[in-house]
């Protein structure tokens, strides 16, 4: 889990770094393949901007992109959950083979692979969705920051090209980021310092950048993280997962208790 969080942190930092690297204007005459991809996203947002309302286009396109990527996000969530549930078993194996010699390491590696196979866990496949999501989300982000016709217009109280004067969107973006992360972490069988740090660090980063960026970007972050929150509640409800885990634990205890009672009865009969 620690490696997973570290990779997620690296992905978030990489997203910000890559965004900062490309700041020039993108238009129909841009020649690079990446900028054409970004401009395609911008044109799709413009198409969805009913009556020229770019804010509506941003909302609709963000929902569209998140829906298209829904299977990818869901696969990532499922893989992460399986990997997390394997952690207690992995610790027992590490306690079984605490040595640093080559033989102990080989035995630990072999039994770990066997455990992953039994539980249907692939720790590397769960990282793949990150590499699928990043180019798409980065292109959407850059379309909002580098294409001129997406920097004009109004939406509700907002001037799309300027920061939210009332700081409503940055607060909402940070709030939904916190809520979606909290819901994702809620069902974890175990938590550590890294997951707790990410819970607070990501909302603070989102809020920090949203305060100074165009409100169109803050609008995108708000809608995207609100969608993530709803997705988690519907498809990966942590309260349901916790209830199922507790029911399973109770069933195991009851089964063990029945075995003990049956054993005691058998012993009494022998006497």
């Amino acid at each position: 889990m620690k490696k997973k969080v570290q990779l997620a942190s690296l992905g978030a930092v990489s997203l910000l770094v890559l965004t900062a690297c490309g700041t020039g204007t993108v238009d129909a005459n841009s020649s690079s393949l990446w900028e054409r991809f970004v401009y395609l996203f911008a044109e799709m947002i413009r198409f969805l901007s009913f009556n020229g309302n770019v804010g509506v286009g941003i909302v609709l396109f963000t929902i569209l992109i998140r829906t298209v990527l829904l299977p990818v996000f869901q696969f990532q969530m499922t893989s992460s959950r399986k990997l997390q549930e394997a952690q207690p078993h992995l610790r027992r194996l590490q306690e079984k083979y605490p040595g640093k010699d080559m033989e102990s390491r080989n035995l630990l590696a072999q039994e770990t692979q066997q455990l992953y196979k039994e539980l249907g866990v692939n720790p590397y496949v769960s990282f793949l969705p990150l590499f699928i999501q990043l180019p798409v989300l980065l292109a959407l982000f850059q379309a909002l920051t580098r294409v001129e016709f997406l920097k004009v217009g109004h939406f509700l109280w907002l001037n799309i090209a300027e920061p939210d004067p009332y700081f409503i969107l940055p607060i909402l973006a940070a709030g939904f980021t916190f809520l979606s992360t909290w819901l994702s972490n809620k069902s974890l069988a175990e938590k550590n310092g890294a997951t707790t740090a990410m819970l607070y660090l990501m909302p603070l980063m989102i809020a920090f950048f949203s305060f100074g960026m165009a409100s169109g970007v803050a609008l995108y972050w708000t809608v995207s993280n609100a969608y993530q929150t709803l997705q988690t509640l519907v498809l990966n409800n942590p309260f349901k997962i916790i209830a199922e885990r507790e029911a399973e634990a109770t069933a195991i205890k009851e089964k063990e208790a029945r075995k003990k009672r049956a054993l005691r009865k058998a012993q009494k009969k022998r006497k």
Side-chain angles (χ1 to χ4, degrees):
M1 184 63 188
K2 186 176 181 181
K3 291 182 178 179
K4 179 73 173 180
V5 173
Q6 289 174 341
L7 186 58
S9 304
L10 179 60
V13 173
S14 299
L15 179 61
L16 294 172
V17 171
L18 287 172
T19 301
C21 290
T23 56
T25 300
V26 173
D27 56 32
N29 297 319
S30 296
S31 57
S32 75
L33 182 62
W34 170 251
E35 290 181 344
R36 288 180 181 178
F37 184 53
V38 170
Y39 191 74
L40 173 64
F41 272 43
E43 286 288 5
M44 294 177 71
I45 293 174
R46 179 154 65 177
F47 175 77
L48 293 172
S49 300
F50 294 103
N51 296 322
N53 193 320
V54 175
V56 172
I58 292 171
V59 171
L60 293 178
F61 189 65
T62 303
I63 293 174
L64 175 63
I65 287 294
R66 292 289 311 210
T67 302
V68 170
L69 290 176
L70 186 59
V72 177
F73 279 97
Q74 184 59 23
F75 177 79
Q76 181 183 344
M77 293 290 290
T78 303
S79 299
S80 298
R81 179 183 170 187
K82 286 183 178 180
L83 191 59
Q84 171 66 17
E85 290 174 348
Q87 295 307 305
H89 303 285
L90 287 175
R91 269 199 312 279
R92 283 194 287 271
L93 289 179
Q94 290 166 356
E95 292 171 357
K96 182 179 179 182
Y97 301 106
K100 300 298 182 180
D101 57 284
M102 186 60 67
E103 182 180 0
S104 296
R105 290 184 177 183
N106 287 337
L107 289 172
L108 176 60
Q110 290 172 10
E111 293 207 23
T112 298
Q113 290 300 319
Q114 182 62 30
L115 174 65
Y116 283 152
K117 185 177 180 180
E118 292 173 357
L119 298 178
V121 175
N122 188 325
Y124 304 107
V125 170
S126 62
F127 298 150
L128 291 178
L130 289 173
F131 297 101
I132 297 174
Q133 297 164 27
L134 280 177
V136 174
L137 299 181
L138 177 60
L140 174 57
F141 184 88
Q142 289 206 347
L144 297 175
T145 56
R146 300 180 64 187
V147 180
E148 290 299 324
F149 63 75
L150 294 184
K151 298 180 181 180
V152 296
H154 292 80
F155 178 67
L156 299 177
W157 70 93
L158 304 167
N159 182 335
I160 292 297
E162 299 176 359
D164 184 347
Y166 304 113
F167 308 119
I168 295 175
L169 280 184
I171 293 173
L172 286 175
F176 279 121
T177 301
F178 177 85
L179 183 58
S180 65
T181 307
W182 180 81
L183 287 171
S184 298
N185 291 349
K186 179 70 175 175
S187 61
L188 296 180
E190 299 175 352
K191 300 177 180 64
N192 54 39
T195 56
T196 302
M198 288 299 296
L199 175 63
Y200 296 101
L201 179 60
M202 288 305 297
L204 288 175
M205 289 177 62
I206 291 291
F208 176 78
F209 285 103
S210 295
F211 281 130
M213 283 188 170
S215 56
V217 176
L219 179 61
Y220 152 67
W221 271 333
T222 300
V223 175
S224 181
N225 286 303
Y227 190 106
Q228 176 68 30
T229 299
L230 181 62
Q231 174 192 335
T232 302
L233 285 171
V234 173
L235 300 178
N236 303 281
N237 192 302
F239 305 104
K240 182 179 179 181
I241 292 172
I242 292 171
E244 291 174 351
R245 187 182 295 140
E246 290 176 347
E248 183 179 355
T250 300
I252 292 173
K253 289 181 180 179
E254 290 177 351
K255 184 178 180 180
E256 292 297 326
R258 286 195 297 269
K259 285 183 179 179
K260 290 180 180 179
R261 287 196 296 268
L263 181 60
R264 284 197 295 268
K265 287 181 179 179
Q267 291 173 342
K268 288 181 179 178
K269 288 181 179 179
R270 292 194 192 103
K271 294 178 181 179

